Amino acid sequence: ASGVPDAGRGQRIYESSGCKACHSIDGSRLVGPTWKGLWGEEVELEDDTKVLGDEAYIVESIREPNARIVKGFAPGMPQFSLSDRQIADLIEFIKTLK
């Protein structure tokens, strides 16, 4: 079932596409915000608004990295050309990072 999002594939994308250079998965702070605990939680943004860490937010963050900046971080994430399927796999991986 290759059409089903797969967390294992998502983890490989995280490791091979440069995500891990800036985003930790264990809560530690890197250049970008950690992915640990992102899914389903509120994310505080630079303008003091909050957004839910859901599919729409994650897709937007990858497609338009500077659209919404997490509080305490600087804009600067490059745009990655990932397919919808790759993004779905990444989201599936992020869901496992409690």
Side-chain angles (χ1 to χ4, degrees):
S2 60
V4 178
D6 181 86
R9 280 198 312 256
Q11 182 169 5
R12 289 191 293 279
I13 294 164
Y14 166 80
E15 290 167 356
S16 65
S17 295
C19 313
K20 73 175 184 180
C22 298
H23 299 280
S24 78
I25 56 174
D26 65 1
S28 57
R29 186 183 171 96
L30 298 176
V31 175
T34 185
W35 288 359
K36 181 181 173 71
L38 164 59
W39 184 257
E41 297 300 319
E42 280 196 333
V43 177
E44 195 172 354
L45 302 176
E46 202 58 83
D47 63 2
D48 291 326
T49 61
K50 291 185 176 156
V51 63
L52 189 63
D54 61 4
E55 186 170 354
Y57 169 70
I58 295 169
V59 169
E60 179 189 60
S61 296
I62 295 169
R63 296 265 186 246
E64 297 176 59
N66 297 315
R68 294 195 256 192
I69 303 300
V70 175
K71 194 172 189 73
F73 292 90
M77 176 173 147
Q79 204 158 9
F80 289 88
S81 53
L82 296 175
S83 69
D84 290 344
R85 179 180 148 175
Q86 286 174 309
I87 292 175
D89 289 343
L90 273 177
I91 289 171
E92 210 55 32
F93 175 53
I94 289 170
K95 288 178 182 178
T96 71
L97 304 172
K98 300 294 179 213

